[in-house]
Amino acid sequence: MNATSVAVVVPVHDEAALLGECLTAIARAVEEARRTRPGIRVVTVVVLDACTDASEEIALSSPVEIVRIAARNVGTARRVGVSAALEALGDPAPGETWVSTTDGDSAVPSSWLSHQLELAADGADVVLGTVRPDFADLTPEHAAHWTATHPRGLPAGNVHGANLGLRADVYLAAGQFADLDEHEDVALVRAARAAGARVEVTDENEVVTSGRFIGKTPGGYAAFVRRTHERIARRCSV
């Protein structure tokens, strides 16, 4: 696949503290994608879901499209964002369009989009990227544990909505993001695999996300970080 259009989607619920960094990082990745693929069209959509903080003001200062909803549901927010991005792109051919998602508490590397597009050009239908917590939010013991258990070049293949890309026709065939308040990304990739999609796993475009212990949903990455911290703390106290 040689993509002619890219839809970038960011669901946001009260992420004012981290959203500015998120959108700055996305802007760099878009610039890099345009540099390496002249003529490619990219639209970034921020979905403000029941935000009560300054998230909207931050988004308005960035080169993004904004959609406001009150679903309090990340699956709904991602699906609405993809639809809005495709519409803003002029409903391009799904087979020539790439969809990338991240989160409002995450910062993508400048190579994020360009690397996903390289893998797509080599035949990937879905790209699963790795995510790591911001080490500034962790104890030294926790950061060391993460580094030791995540060797470079050996990505585990976990699904993270903060670092996910797929062809638009594959996305549509898989049923789009469901109205799930967590694990909507896992459900989508499972459906894509069942439909025969070729899934590529990479840690070359790793996304840094918040290392907070309490997230926007009971499960998700924040719960994983918290459980890991608690396990390390118990071990260190013995």
Coordinates of all heavy atoms in Angstrom, one line a residue, residues 13-47:
H13 N -10.0 13.1 27.2 CA -10.9 13.4 28.3 C -10.1 14.1 29.4 O -9.3 13.4 30.1 CB -11.6 12.2 28.8 CG -12.4 12.5 30.0 ND1 -13.5 13.3 30.0 CD2 -12.3 12.0 31.3 CE1 -14.0 13.4 31.3 NE2 -13.3 12.6 32.1
D14 N -10.1 15.4 29.5 CA -9.4 16.1 30.6 C -7.9 15.8 30.7 O -7.4 15.2 31.6 CB -10.1 15.8 31.9 CG -11.5 16.5 32.1 OD1 -11.8 17.3 31.2 OD2 -12.2 16.2 33.0
E15 N -7.2 16.1 29.6 CA -5.8 15.8 29.5 C -5.0 17.1 29.4 O -3.9 17.1 28.8 CB -5.5 14.9 28.3 CG -6.0 13.5 28.5 CD -5.3 12.7 29.5 OE1 -4.4 13.2 30.2 OE2 -5.6 11.5 29.6
A16 N -5.4 18.2 30.0 CA -4.8 19.5 29.8 C -3.3 19.5 30.2 O -2.5 20.2 29.6 CB -5.5 20.6 30.6
A17 N -3.0 18.7 31.2 CA -1.6 18.7 31.7 C -0.6 18.1 30.7 O 0.6 18.5 30.7 CB -1.5 17.9 33.0
L18 N -1.1 17.2 29.8 CA -0.2 16.5 28.9 C -0.5 16.7 27.4 O 0.3 16.4 26.5 CB -0.2 15.0 29.2 CG 0.3 14.6 30.6 CD1 -0.1 13.2 30.9 CD2 1.7 14.9 30.7
L19 N -1.7 17.3 27.1 CA -2.1 17.4 25.7 C -1.2 18.3 24.9 O -1.0 18.0 23.7 CB -3.6 17.9 25.7 CG -4.2 18.0 24.3 CD1 -4.2 16.6 23.7 CD2 -5.6 18.5 24.4
G20 N -0.7 19.4 25.4 CA 0.2 20.2 24.6 C 1.4 19.5 24.1 O 1.7 19.6 22.9
E21 N 2.0 18.7 24.9 CA 3.2 17.9 24.5 C 2.7 16.9 23.5 O 3.5 16.6 22.5 CB 3.8 17.2 25.7 CG 5.0 16.4 25.4 CD 5.7 15.8 26.6 OE1 5.2 16.0 27.7 OE2 6.6 15.0 26.4
C22 N 1.6 16.3 23.7 CA 1.1 15.3 22.7 C 0.9 15.9 21.4 O 1.4 15.3 20.4 CB -0.3 14.8 23.3 SG -1.2 13.8 22.0
L23 N 0.3 17.0 21.3 CA 0.0 17.6 20.0 C 1.2 18.2 19.3 O 1.4 18.1 18.1 CB -1.1 18.7 20.1 CG -2.4 18.2 20.6 CD1 -3.4 19.3 20.7 CD2 -3.0 17.1 19.7
T24 N 2.2 18.6 20.1 CA 3.5 19.1 19.5 C 4.2 17.9 18.9 O 4.8 18.0 17.8 CB 4.3 19.7 20.6 OG1 3.7 20.9 21.1 CG2 5.7 20.1 20.1
A25 N 4.2 16.8 19.6 CA 4.9 15.6 19.1 C 4.2 15.1 17.8 O 4.9 14.7 16.8 CB 4.8 14.5 20.1
I26 N 2.9 15.1 17.8 CA 2.2 14.7 16.5 C 2.5 15.6 15.4 O 2.7 15.2 14.2 CB 0.6 14.7 16.8 CG1 0.3 13.5 17.7 CG2 -0.1 14.6 15.5 CD1 -1.2 13.5 18.1
A27 N 2.6 16.9 15.6 CA 2.9 17.9 14.6 C 4.3 17.6 14.0 O 4.5 17.7 12.8 CB 2.9 19.3 15.1
R28 N 5.2 17.2 14.8 CA 6.6 16.8 14.3 C 6.5 15.6 13.5 O 7.1 15.5 12.4 CB 7.5 16.6 15.5 CG 7.8 17.9 16.3 CD 9.0 17.6 17.2 NE 9.3 18.7 18.1 CZ 9.0 18.7 19.4 NH1 8.5 17.6 20.0 NH2 9.2 19.8 20.2
A29 N 5.7 14.6 13.9 CA 5.6 13.4 13.1 C 4.9 13.6 11.8 O 5.2 13.0 10.8 CB 4.8 12.4 13.9
V30 N 3.9 14.5 11.8 CA 3.2 14.9 10.5 C 4.2 15.6 9.6 O 4.2 15.3 8.4 CB 2.0 15.8 10.8 CG1 1.4 16.3 9.5 CG2 0.9 15.0 11.5
E31 N 5.0 16.5 10.1 CA 6.0 17.2 9.3 C 7.0 16.2 8.7 O 7.3 16.3 7.5 CB 6.7 18.2 10.2 CG 7.8 19.0 9.4 CD 8.5 20.0 10.3 OE1 8.2 20.1 11.5 OE2 9.4 20.7 9.8
E32 N 7.4 15.2 9.5 CA 8.4 14.2 9.0 C 7.7 13.3 7.9 O 8.3 13.0 6.9 CB 8.8 13.3 10.1 CG 9.8 12.2 9.7 CD 11.1 12.6 9.2 OE1 11.4 13.8 9.4 OE2 11.9 11.8 8.7
A33 N 6.4 13.0 8.1 CA 5.8 12.2 7.1 C 5.6 12.9 5.8 O 5.8 12.4 4.7 CB 4.4 11.8 7.6
R34 N 5.3 14.2 5.9 CA 5.2 15.0 4.7 C 6.5 15.2 4.0 O 6.6 15.3 2.8 CB 4.5 16.4 5.0 CG 3.1 16.3 5.3 CD 2.5 17.5 5.8 NE 1.0 17.5 6.0 CZ 0.3 18.2 6.7 NH1 0.9 19.2 7.5 NH2 -1.0 18.1 6.8
R35 N 7.6 15.3 4.8 CA 8.9 15.5 4.2 C 9.3 14.2 3.4 O 9.9 14.3 2.3 CB 9.9 15.8 5.3 CG 11.4 16.0 4.8 CD 12.4 16.2 5.9 NE 12.6 14.9 6.6 CZ 13.3 13.9 6.1 NH1 14.0 14.0 5.0 NH2 13.5 12.8 6.8
T36 N 9.1 13.1 4.0 CA 9.5 11.8 3.4 C 8.5 11.3 2.3 O 8.9 10.5 1.4 CB 9.6 10.7 4.4 OG1 8.4 10.5 5.1 CG2 10.7 11.1 5.5
R37 N 7.3 11.8 2.3 CA 6.3 11.5 1.3 C 5.6 12.7 0.8 O 4.4 13.0 1.2 CB 5.3 10.5 1.9 CG 5.9 9.1 2.3 CD 4.9 8.2 3.0 NE 5.5 6.9 3.3 CZ 5.6 5.9 2.4 NH1 5.1 6.0 1.2 NH2 6.2 4.8 2.8
P38 N 6.3 13.5 -0.1 CA 5.7 14.7 -0.6 C 4.3 14.5 -1.2 O 4.1 13.5 -1.9 CB 6.7 15.1 -1.6 CG 8.0 14.5 -1.2 CD 7.6 13.2 -0.6
G39 N 3.4 15.3 -0.9 CA 2.0 15.3 -1.5 C 1.0 14.5 -0.6 O -0.2 14.5 -0.9
I40 N 1.5 13.8 0.4 CA 0.6 13.0 1.2 C -0.3 14.0 2.0 O 0.2 15.0 2.5 CB 1.3 12.0 2.2 CG1 0.3 11.0 2.7 CG2 2.0 12.8 3.3 CD1 1.0 9.8 3.3
R41 N -1.5 13.7 2.2 CA -2.5 14.5 3.0 C -2.6 13.9 4.3 O -2.8 12.7 4.5 CB -3.8 14.6 2.3 CG -3.8 15.3 0.9 CD -5.2 15.4 0.3 NE -5.7 14.0 0.1 CZ -7.0 13.8 0.1 NH1 -7.9 14.7 0.2 NH2 -7.5 12.5 -0.1
V42 N -2.6 14.7 5.4 CA -2.7 14.3 6.7 C -3.7 15.2 7.5 O -3.5 16.4 7.4 CB -1.3 14.3 7.5 CG1 -1.5 13.7 8.9 CG2 -0.3 13.5 6.7
V43 N -4.6 14.6 8.1 CA -5.6 15.4 9.0 C -5.5 14.8 10.4 O -5.6 13.5 10.6 CB -7.0 15.3 8.5 CG1 -8.0 15.8 9.5 CG2 -7.1 16.1 7.2
T44 N -5.3 15.6 11.4 CA -5.3 15.2 12.8 C -6.6 15.7 13.4 O -7.0 16.9 13.4 CB -4.1 15.8 13.5 OG1 -2.9 15.3 12.9 CG2 -4.1 15.3 15.0
V45 N -7.3 14.7 14.0 CA -8.6 15.1 14.7 C -8.5 14.8 16.2 O -8.1 13.7 16.6 CB -9.8 14.3 14.1 CG1 -11.0 14.4 15.0 CG2 -10.1 14.7 12.7
V46 N -8.8 15.8 17.0 CA -8.8 15.6 18.5 C -10.3 15.5 18.9 O -11.1 16.4 18.6 CB -8.1 16.8 19.2 CG1 -8.3 16.7 20.7 CG2 -6.6 16.8 18.8
V47 N -10.6 14.5 19.5 CA -12.0 14.3 20.0 C -12.1 14.6 21.5 O -11.5 13.9 22.3 CB -12.5 12.8 19.8 CG1 -13.9 12.7 20.2 CG2 -12.3 12.4 18.3

